[in-house]
Amino acid sequence: MMSKPNQITSLTDSVEDMLNRMFVDAGIGPGMKVLDVGCGRGDVSLLVSKLTGETGMVLGIDHDAPSIEFAQNRVNELSISNISFSVCDIMSLTPMQDLFDAAVSRRVIMYLQDPVEAIKKISGMLRPGGIVALLEHDATMVPGRITPLPLQEEVNRWISETIKREGADLHIGFNLDKIIKQAGLIVEHIRAEAIIQTPQTSYPTATIIRAMLPRIIQNGVATEEEIDIETLEQRLIEERNRNNSMYVSDMVFTIWGRKPGTGS
């Protein structure tokens, strides 16, 4: 459906759409037992639980106890019975053959020091033929634009430079195929999709910056005065409107594969 000329359409759910399509295409469905690795506050776990249904189950794990507490309270308030959470680090996983049909994660692998070993740990939790499905952001091909958008480009730099200084792999998308294969899994499919902003669409960039603000400042990437968070969103919109320009702010890679062997 076309937007009216001055109507702003949110792209907030666009990555969730990519994530959901990956899960469906990878074969995650009713009755399956799924491990959500690095679940944070439970967003992905909630999405997966809709696919597994009441006959399935989702276990979300994360090393951050406050996030796990938040996630558990969240599902309790929603009276969702097919999701549970546990404080656990990926590298402390011990093989439990046949426990899970699939493992999923979003924006987790890029932060790991040894992603191959981590995928091996995750694979050890799956039955033969079990699915591993991952979504990661990649900065290799962004920003993409014809007309310069200095503010948007600077904001993207704040994000990428911060996570780079925190040890993230900014080119994780291009590394996913070999990581999965080196971990002993069989890659079934990989794709990349762009987050495209126009004068009529808006991605929650300012919201992301607000959430990252302490990290941006702590890592010496930008000052609070430079960011001016209270006016940032409006300035970004005005810049796109002024230039009547399209901007590719993110590339999102999704990949899924299977553990060798067959299972029921």
Side-chain angles (χ1 to χ4, degrees):
M1 183 174 68
M2 295 294 293
S3 300
K4 296 178 181 179
N6 296 320
Q7 180 180 341
I8 300 296
T9 301
S10 174
L11 295 176
T12 304
D13 297 330
S14 55
V15 175
E16 184 175 294
D17 291 341
M18 296 174 191
L19 192 65
N20 192 65
R21 279 189 281 109
M22 174 181 68
F23 292 155
V24 171
D25 292 347
I28 295 175
M32 295 181 69
K33 296 181 290 185
V34 181
L35 179 67
D36 179 11
V37 180
C39 64
R41 293 185 162 201
D43 291 340
V44 175
S45 297
L46 286 165
L47 185 62
V48 174
S49 74
K50 295 177 183 178
L51 298 175
T52 64
E54 294 182 359
T55 58
M57 62 85 71
V58 180
L59 173 63
I61 62 169
D62 200 289
H63 66 86
D64 185 61
S67 293
I68 288 294
E69 182 179 5
F70 182 95
Q72 189 64 64
N73 290 336
R74 190 177 180 186
V75 299
N76 291 344
E77 290 174 4
L78 294 170
S79 299
I80 298 174
S81 60
N82 66 341
I83 307 176
S84 59
F85 297 97
S86 178
V87 177
C88 178
D89 184 81
I90 298 172
M91 302 310 290
S92 68
L93 291 173
T94 55
M96 299 178 69
Q97 193 72 37
D98 296 341
L99 184 58
F100 292 96
D101 301 300
V104 303
S105 77
R106 177 180 66 177
R107 292 197 299 266
V108 172
I109 306 303
M110 68 186 302
Y111 287 101
L112 303 180
Q113 291 186 350
D114 191 344
V116 173
E117 187 60 31
I119 297 297
K120 288 180 180 179
K121 292 281 188 179
I122 294 168
S123 177
M125 305 294 288
L126 303 178
R127 64 169 175 80
I131 301 163
V132 173
L134 314 172
L135 180 147
E136 296 288 340
H137 287 234
D138 188 291
T140 306
M141 297 187 290
V142 295
R145 72 280 184 266
I146 295 176
T147 303
L149 296 169
L151 178 60
Q152 182 68 73
E153 293 166 34
E154 181 68 357
V155 170
N156 266 45
R157 188 192 69 81
W158 294 339
I159 295 171
S160 60
E161 185 61 27
T162 298
I163 64 175
K164 179 182 177 181
R165 294 185 186 188
E166 291 174 339
D169 178 2
L170 298 181
H171 310 291
I172 187 65
F174 285 89
N175 292 324
L176 285 174
D177 181 73
K178 67 180 180 182
I179 289 170
I180 295 293
K181 290 175 180 174
Q182 288 173 3
L185 301 178
I186 301 166
V187 173
E188 292 200 330
H189 195 73
I190 185 168
R191 61 188 171 216
E193 301 177 79
I195 299 295
I196 301 173
Q197 300 184 54
T198 73
Q200 285 75 47
T201 61
S202 179
Y203 193 59
T205 309
T207 302
I208 294 170
I209 293 296
R210 186 183 292 276
M212 291 184 63
L213 192 59
R215 294 159 55 195
I216 294 171
I217 295 170
Q218 182 179 357
N219 282 281
V221 175
T223 66
E224 194 168 350
E225 292 74 20
E226 289 173 323
I227 295 169
D228 191 7
I229 191 63
E230 299 304 327
T231 68
L232 181 58
E233 183 173 7
Q234 186 58 39
R235 285 185 287 133
L236 288 167
I237 293 171
E238 289 173 354
E239 183 180 64
R240 290 198 303 277
N241 282 328
R242 186 167 57 249
N243 291 280
N244 191 27
S245 181
M246 189 170 73
Y247 183 79
V248 179
S249 58
D250 279 286
M251 290 299 300
V252 180
F253 282 72
T254 51
I255 186 171
W256 60 93
R258 289 186 182 271
K259 182 174 181 176
T262 58
S264 57

